[in-house]
Amino acid sequence: MAESPLIPGAVIRVGAPGPVFRPVPGHTAGVLTVATGPDTGLIVPLTPGTHTVARNSKAAVCLRDLDVSRNEHARLEISEDGRAVVVDGGSTNGTFVGRARVTGRAALKPGTVMQVGADELLWAPHPAEALGAVRSADGRLDFNRAFAAACGCRELCHPG
């Protein structure tokens, strides 16, 4: 397992096909995690830019929940420094941030729940001093784990 490409929270399924593999891009601003709902356990690393949330395999955040719009339920705008903004894509069921329906743009702060259909998602930006990585000659990423700071998501992983 130490040499596997699994990331924390990855779901391993035996006996049925798993989700479509998407390689982790080189520079991610953070990860979006489905905490509860039909897609629980899904973790999507996101780069800075605009990303679609939909029930569509071409969407950056592809959810299976039937209450999620097929083409564009919502958009996530991710900045270089890890700030996230949610824009509803005109969905019938709505997009909610902290239980408030998104009607324009809404900031998605770390620890605040974004609800899309029956799925509840959490955004966790990477800390400024993110884990150092260097791409090796064979294309793999080598991480400097010896002096890596602990992730700043304790409150997300272990709510008190």
Side-chain angles (χ1 to χ4, degrees):
M1 294 285 286
E3 297 293 324
S4 77
L6 295 176
I7 59 176
V11 177
I12 299 173
R13 296 185 183 178
V14 178
V20 175
F21 172 73
R22 294 178 190 225
V24 176
H27 169 65
T28 59
V31 294
L32 189 67
T33 303
V34 180
T36 63
D39 297 289
T40 298
L42 177 67
I43 297 173
V44 183
L46 295 173
T47 58
T50 302
H51 305 281
T52 302
V53 178
R55 188 170 34 101
N56 178 333
S57 63
K58 294 180 182 171
V61 182
C62 174
L63 303 174
R64 298 173 303 173
D65 182 359
L66 296 177
D67 290 334
V68 174
S69 302
R70 279 190 199 104
N71 295 321
E72 183 182 80
H73 193 101
R75 277 188 321 277
L76 287 169
E77 298 171 358
I78 310 296
S79 68
E80 285 284 334
D81 62 1
R83 286 177 291 140
V85 174
V86 179
V87 180
D88 184 71
S91 64
T92 303
N93 296 323
T95 302
F96 298 83
V97 172
R99 299 198 184 272
R101 188 176 186 127
V102 176
T103 56
R105 298 165 51 87
L108 182 59
K109 299 184 186 299
T112 304
V113 172
M114 175 175 87
Q115 184 173 351
V116 177
D119 285 321
E120 292 187 350
L121 303 99
L122 295 170
W123 169 247
H126 293 312
E129 64 284 341
L131 186 64
V134 177
R135 190 163 301 276
S136 65
D138 66 356
R140 293 180 182 224
L141 288 178
D142 293 329
F143 294 93
N144 179 359
R145 296 183 188 281
F147 301 103
C151 111
C153 64
R154 182 163 176 75
E155 61 280 355
L156 296 177
C157 303
H158 306 284

